Amino acid sequence: MPELPEVETVKRGLAPVMEGRVFENVVLNRADIRFPFPSNFKSRLVGTTLITLSRRAKFLKADLSSGETLLMHLGMSGSFIIGAARGRENPKHDHVIFTMRGEKTPIIYNDPRRFGFMELLGQDKLGRLANLGPEPLSNNFHGPALYGALRGKKSPIKTALLDQRVVAGLGNIYVCEALYSAKISPLRKSCHVNEAQCERLCTEIQKILERAIKAGGSTLKDFSAVDGSLGYFQHRFKVYGQEANTCHNKDCTGKIARIKQSGRSTFHCPKCQI
DNA sequence: CAAAGCTCCTGACCGC
DNA sequence: TGCGGTCAGGAGCTTT
């Protein structure tokens, strides 16, 4: 599922065919996905220029010449396809089709589970971006900042890292991976994660995200890269989905366990993550 | 206020 | 082969 690195990959794939282009046509194949599309969605887009496409947390943000901002979230299974709408294997879940002036092929938004959504924000409106925590790859994200965000929190560190107000852009997979690499138990209370551990956690989060972005984003079976490239599914995680495998941290003989935390699967090594 | 639980949705997977 | 049940999860919403 798309987490920060996947969204970043999508952004990089879409920017060359969207930035600086005028929306020539917008087709909606249904009135809503997770939420209803904004009123007059098509007429508010057609004729405007997409000035800048950027990413904030797991959101794609398109600044328009009209002054409005198109905010897009991929949810669990959303993907963009640059290519012909016809001859697609499963056009069933093609919900939005953008045509940019001067571009040969349309840009299709496909989302089987419809957990994604699109919104239009007025000028100076932050909307859902207002309460997001720091970008993990920015200078605002560092040990002391994380420590400050965690103290006073009684929830487990795993849960806290999924809270987009603490750090923005992580999902279940990368949280498991980061805690594993930092050798911190997902069950540890947030307020009991000390300064040194916060420092380590920040470093690991950044390393993991950077590596994943470099790899073009990693993915599970229902997410595909913006160009539909395969081989995208081959990504192996160190701990996520590795239940019962032997921990391969150095000098550890533990076995990867799977537990549930606030309804989500957590994979961890009970022996070396403390 | 924080934290936990529920909800949306479809496709993949499993056992019979 | 088909069918029902279960699971996956981002994040907003409701409940505690």
Side-chain angles (χ1 to χ4, degrees), chain A residues 211-227:
Chain A
R211 217 178 295 139
I213 289 172
K214 210 167 179 180
S218 52
T219 185
L220 293 185
K221 53 202 168 220
D222 53 6
F223 177 70
S224 56
V226 71
D227 60 358

Side-chain angles (χ1 to χ4, degrees), chain A residues 17-34:
Chain A
V17 294
M18 293 191 90
E19 271 187 342
R21 313 294 198 282
V22 174
F23 283 92
E24 189 168 84
N25 195 21
V26 176
V27 174
L28 285 186
N29 288 329
R30 52 182 300 138
D32 60 82
I33 35 180
R34 178 170 182 182

Side-chain angles (χ1 to χ4, degrees), chain A residues 2-5 55 57-58 132 134-136 164 167-171 174 209:
Chain A
E3 298 185 29
L4 186 153
R55 179 194 57 74
K58 301 173 200 172
L132 292 174
E135 274 294 313
Q164 302 295 297
V167 52
L170 299 182
Y174 292 112
L209 293 178

Side-chain angles (χ1 to χ4, degrees), chain A residues 173-229:
Chain A
I173 295 174
Y174 292 112
V175 166
C176 290
E177 294 295 309
L179 286 170
Y180 179 68
S181 292
K183 300 193 176 181
I184 298 166
S185 169
L187 297 161
R188 177 172 288 272
K189 278 189 181 187
S190 299
C191 55
H192 293 162
V193 180
N194 65 32
E195 287 101 324
Q197 290 172 315
C198 283
E199 202 63 59
R200 223 160 66 217
L201 198 43
C202 284
T203 304
E204 291 306 327
I205 286 170
Q206 292 175 334
K207 271 166 61 181
I208 284 166
L209 293 178
E210 275 163 5
R211 217 178 295 139
I213 289 172
K214 210 167 179 180
S218 52
T219 185
L220 293 185
K221 53 202 168 220
D222 53 6
F223 177 70
S224 56
V226 71
D227 60 358
S229 69

